[in-house]
Short mmCIF file of all heavy atoms in Angstrom, two decimals:
data_model
loop_
_atom_site.label_atom_id
_atom_site.label_comp_id
_atom_site.label_asym_id
_atom_site.label_seq_id
_atom_site.Cartn_x
_atom_site.Cartn_y
_atom_site.Cartn_z
N SER A 91 15.47 -17.11 6.56
CA SER A 91 15.18 -16.28 5.39
C SER A 91 16.48 -15.74 4.80
O SER A 91 16.52 -14.62 4.29
CB SER A 91 14.27 -15.12 5.79
OG SER A 91 14.93 -14.31 6.76
N PHE A 92 17.53 -16.54 4.83
CA PHE A 92 18.85 -16.13 4.32
C PHE A 92 18.71 -15.60 2.89
O PHE A 92 18.27 -16.33 1.99
CB PHE A 92 19.79 -17.33 4.36
CG PHE A 92 21.20 -17.01 3.93
CD1 PHE A 92 22.09 -16.40 4.80
CD2 PHE A 92 21.64 -17.32 2.65
CE1 PHE A 92 23.39 -16.10 4.40
CE2 PHE A 92 22.93 -17.02 2.24
CZ PHE A 92 23.81 -16.41 3.12
N ASP A 93 19.09 -14.35 2.67
CA ASP A 93 18.78 -13.75 1.37
C ASP A 93 19.98 -13.17 0.63
O ASP A 93 19.80 -12.36 -0.30
CB ASP A 93 17.67 -12.71 1.51
CG ASP A 93 18.11 -11.49 2.32
OD1 ASP A 93 19.24 -11.46 2.81
OD2 ASP A 93 17.29 -10.55 2.43
N THR A 94 21.19 -13.57 0.99
CA THR A 94 22.35 -13.15 0.20
C THR A 94 22.49 -14.15 -0.96
O THR A 94 23.11 -15.21 -0.82
CB THR A 94 23.62 -13.13 1.06
OG1 THR A 94 23.35 -12.43 2.28
CG2 THR A 94 24.77 -12.46 0.33
N HIS A 95 21.89 -13.79 -2.10
CA HIS A 95 21.75 -14.75 -3.20
C HIS A 95 23.06 -15.47 -3.53
O HIS A 95 23.08 -16.69 -3.70
CB HIS A 95 21.20 -14.05 -4.45
CG HIS A 95 19.75 -13.71 -4.35
ND1 HIS A 95 18.76 -14.50 -4.92
CD2 HIS A 95 19.10 -12.70 -3.74
CE1 HIS A 95 17.58 -13.97 -4.67
NE2 HIS A 95 17.75 -12.88 -3.95
N ALA A 96 24.15 -14.72 -3.61
CA ALA A 96 25.41 -15.30 -4.06
C ALA A 96 25.94 -16.36 -3.10
O ALA A 96 26.69 -17.25 -3.51
CB ALA A 96 26.45 -14.20 -4.26
N ASN A 97 25.57 -16.27 -1.83
CA ASN A 97 26.12 -17.21 -0.84
C ASN A 97 25.17 -18.36 -0.51
O ASN A 97 25.44 -19.14 0.41
CB ASN A 97 26.48 -16.46 0.44
CG ASN A 97 27.55 -15.41 0.19
OD1 ASN A 97 28.28 -15.47 -0.80
ND2 ASN A 97 27.63 -14.43 1.07
N ILE A 98 24.07 -18.48 -1.23
CA ILE A 98 23.10 -19.53 -0.92
C ILE A 98 23.69 -20.94 -1.06
O ILE A 98 23.50 -21.77 -0.18
CB ILE A 98 21.81 -19.36 -1.76
CG1 ILE A 98 21.01 -18.14 -1.23
CG2 ILE A 98 20.95 -20.62 -1.71
CD1 ILE A 98 19.79 -17.78 -2.08
N PRO A 99 24.45 -21.24 -2.14
CA PRO A 99 24.98 -22.61 -2.24
C PRO A 99 25.84 -23.01 -1.03
O PRO A 99 25.72 -24.13 -0.52
CB PRO A 99 25.78 -22.58 -3.54
CG PRO A 99 25.10 -21.54 -4.38
CD PRO A 99 24.71 -20.47 -3.38
N GLY A 100 26.68 -22.10 -0.56
CA GLY A 100 27.51 -22.40 0.60
C GLY A 100 26.69 -22.57 1.87
O GLY A 100 26.93 -23.49 2.66
N HIS A 101 25.72 -21.69 2.05
CA HIS A 101 24.85 -21.78 3.22
C HIS A 101 24.08 -23.11 3.19
O HIS A 101 23.96 -23.80 4.20
CB HIS A 101 23.89 -20.59 3.21
CG HIS A 101 23.05 -20.45 4.45
ND1 HIS A 101 23.57 -20.35 5.71
CD2 HIS A 101 21.69 -20.41 4.61
CE1 HIS A 101 22.59 -20.24 6.60
NE2 HIS A 101 21.44 -20.28 5.95
N TYR A 102 23.58 -23.45 2.01
CA TYR A 102 22.85 -24.72 1.85
C TYR A 102 23.73 -25.90 2.29
O TYR A 102 23.28 -26.76 3.06
CB TYR A 102 22.41 -24.90 0.38
CG TYR A 102 21.85 -26.27 0.12
CD1 TYR A 102 20.51 -26.54 0.39
CD2 TYR A 102 22.67 -27.29 -0.36
CE1 TYR A 102 20.00 -27.81 0.18
CE2 TYR A 102 22.17 -28.56 -0.58
CZ TYR A 102 20.83 -28.81 -0.31
OH TYR A 102 20.33 -30.07 -0.51
N ALA A 103 24.97 -25.91 1.83
CA ALA A 103 25.87 -27.03 2.15
C ALA A 103 26.09 -27.14 3.66
O ALA A 103 26.03 -28.24 4.24
CB ALA A 103 27.19 -26.86 1.42
N ASN A 104 26.31 -26.00 4.32
CA ASN A 104 26.54 -26.02 5.77
C ASN A 104 25.31 -26.50 6.54
O ASN A 104 25.41 -27.30 7.46
CB ASN A 104 26.90 -24.61 6.27
CG ASN A 104 28.22 -24.14 5.71
OD1 ASN A 104 29.05 -24.95 5.29
ND2 ASN A 104 28.43 -22.84 5.69
N VAL A 105 24.16 -25.97 6.17
CA VAL A 105 22.94 -26.33 6.88
C VAL A 105 22.57 -27.78 6.59
O VAL A 105 22.14 -28.52 7.48
CB VAL A 105 21.78 -25.37 6.51
CG1 VAL A 105 20.49 -25.79 7.21
CG2 VAL A 105 22.15 -23.93 6.87
N ILE A 118 15.88 -23.22 4.08
CA ILE A 118 16.61 -21.94 4.05
C ILE A 118 16.07 -21.04 2.94
O ILE A 118 15.41 -21.49 2.01
CB ILE A 118 18.12 -22.14 3.83
CG1 ILE A 118 18.39 -22.87 2.51
CG2 ILE A 118 18.77 -22.85 5.01
CD1 ILE A 118 19.80 -22.71 1.99
N SER A 119 16.39 -19.76 3.09
CA SER A 119 16.16 -18.77 2.03
C SER A 119 14.68 -18.64 1.65
O SER A 119 14.34 -18.52 0.48
CB SER A 119 17.01 -19.09 0.80
OG SER A 119 18.38 -19.06 1.15
N LEU A 120 13.83 -18.65 2.66
CA LEU A 120 12.39 -18.48 2.42
C LEU A 120 12.01 -17.01 2.57
O LEU A 120 12.67 -16.25 3.27
CB LEU A 120 11.61 -19.33 3.42
CG LEU A 120 11.82 -20.82 3.28
CD1 LEU A 120 11.13 -21.55 4.42
CD2 LEU A 120 11.30 -21.33 1.94
N ASP A 123 11.79 -12.94 -1.96
CA ASP A 123 12.90 -13.02 -2.92
C ASP A 123 14.19 -13.03 -2.14
O ASP A 123 14.65 -11.97 -1.72
CB ASP A 123 12.88 -11.89 -3.93
CG ASP A 123 13.79 -12.19 -5.12
OD1 ASP A 123 14.38 -13.28 -5.16
OD2 ASP A 123 13.89 -11.33 -6.01
N PRO A 124 14.81 -14.19 -1.95
CA PRO A 124 14.46 -15.51 -2.46
C PRO A 124 13.19 -16.06 -1.81
O PRO A 124 12.88 -15.71 -0.67
CB PRO A 124 15.66 -16.38 -2.08
CG PRO A 124 16.30 -15.67 -0.93
CD PRO A 124 16.06 -14.22 -1.17
N GLY A 125 12.48 -16.90 -2.54
CA GLY A 125 11.25 -17.50 -2.04
C GLY A 125 10.20 -17.54 -3.13
O GLY A 125 10.38 -18.20 -4.15
N SER A 128 11.39 -16.79 -6.49
CA SER A 128 12.22 -17.88 -7.02
C SER A 128 11.36 -18.97 -7.64
O SER A 128 11.65 -19.45 -8.73
CB SER A 128 13.07 -18.48 -5.89
OG SER A 128 13.63 -17.48 -5.08
N CYS A 303 18.53 -30.35 4.39
CA CYS A 303 18.17 -28.98 4.04
C CYS A 303 17.40 -28.91 2.72
O CYS A 303 17.75 -29.58 1.75
CB CYS A 303 19.45 -28.15 3.93
SG CYS A 303 19.14 -26.39 3.63
N THR A 305 14.80 -26.13 0.10
CA THR A 305 14.39 -24.76 -0.20
C THR A 305 12.93 -24.78 -0.65
O THR A 305 12.32 -25.85 -0.74
CB THR A 305 15.24 -24.15 -1.33
OG1 THR A 305 14.86 -24.75 -2.58
CG2 THR A 305 16.72 -24.37 -1.09
N PHE A 307 11.87 -24.63 -3.47
CA PHE A 307 11.75 -25.45 -4.67
C PHE A 307 11.31 -26.88 -4.36
O PHE A 307 10.80 -27.58 -5.24
CB PHE A 307 13.10 -25.52 -5.41
CG PHE A 307 13.56 -24.23 -5.99
CD1 PHE A 307 14.93 -23.97 -6.12
CD2 PHE A 307 12.66 -23.27 -6.42
CE1 PHE A 307 15.37 -22.78 -6.68
CE2 PHE A 307 13.10 -22.07 -6.98
CZ PHE A 307 14.46 -21.82 -7.11
N MET B 322 19.82 -24.69 -9.79
CA MET B 322 18.68 -23.99 -9.18
C MET B 322 19.12 -23.10 -8.04
O MET B 322 18.71 -21.94 -7.95
CB MET B 322 17.68 -25.01 -8.64
CG MET B 322 16.84 -25.66 -9.69
SD MET B 322 15.63 -26.76 -8.90
CE MET B 322 15.78 -28.16 -9.99
N LEU B 323 19.95 -23.65 -7.14
CA LEU B 323 20.39 -22.86 -5.98
C LEU B 323 21.23 -21.67 -6.43
O LEU B 323 21.14 -20.58 -5.88
CB LEU B 323 21.20 -23.72 -5.01
CG LEU B 323 20.44 -24.82 -4.26
CD1 LEU B 323 21.40 -25.54 -3.31
CD2 LEU B 323 19.27 -24.25 -3.48
N GLY B 324 22.05 -21.89 -7.44
CA GLY B 324 22.98 -20.85 -7.87
C GLY B 324 22.33 -19.77 -8.72
O GLY B 324 22.75 -18.62 -8.69
N HIS B 325 21.30 -20.14 -9.48
CA HIS B 325 20.80 -19.19 -10.48
C HIS B 325 19.33 -18.81 -10.35
O HIS B 325 18.92 -17.78 -10.87
CB HIS B 325 21.05 -19.74 -11.89
CG HIS B 325 22.48 -20.04 -12.16
ND1 HIS B 325 23.45 -19.06 -12.16
CD2 HIS B 325 23.13 -21.21 -12.38
CE1 HIS B 325 24.63 -19.62 -12.40
NE2 HIS B 325 24.46 -20.92 -12.52
N MET B 326 18.52 -19.65 -9.71
CA MET B 326 17.09 -19.39 -9.71
C MET B 326 16.57 -18.91 -8.37
O MET B 326 15.56 -18.24 -8.29
CB MET B 326 16.30 -20.65 -10.09
CG MET B 326 16.60 -21.17 -11.46
SD MET B 326 16.14 -19.99 -12.76
CE MET B 326 14.44 -20.46 -13.04
N LEU B 327 17.26 -19.33 -7.28
CA LEU B 327 16.73 -19.01 -5.95
C LEU B 327 16.97 -17.54 -5.65
O LEU B 327 16.07 -16.82 -5.30
CB LEU B 327 17.39 -19.89 -4.88
CG LEU B 327 16.64 -19.98 -3.55
CD1 LEU B 327 15.28 -20.62 -3.70
CD2 LEU B 327 17.44 -20.75 -2.52
#
Side-chain angles (χ1 to χ4, degrees):
Chain A
S91 61
F92 183 80
D93 67 357
T94 312
H95 286 261
N97 298 340
I98 288 174
H101 187 57
Y102 171 84
N104 294 339
V105 177
I118 59 161
S119 300
L120 296 173
D123 195 3
S128 316
C303 185
T305 73
F307 293 151
Chain B
M322 283 183 223
L323 292 182
H325 303 297
M326 299 297 272
L327 198 64

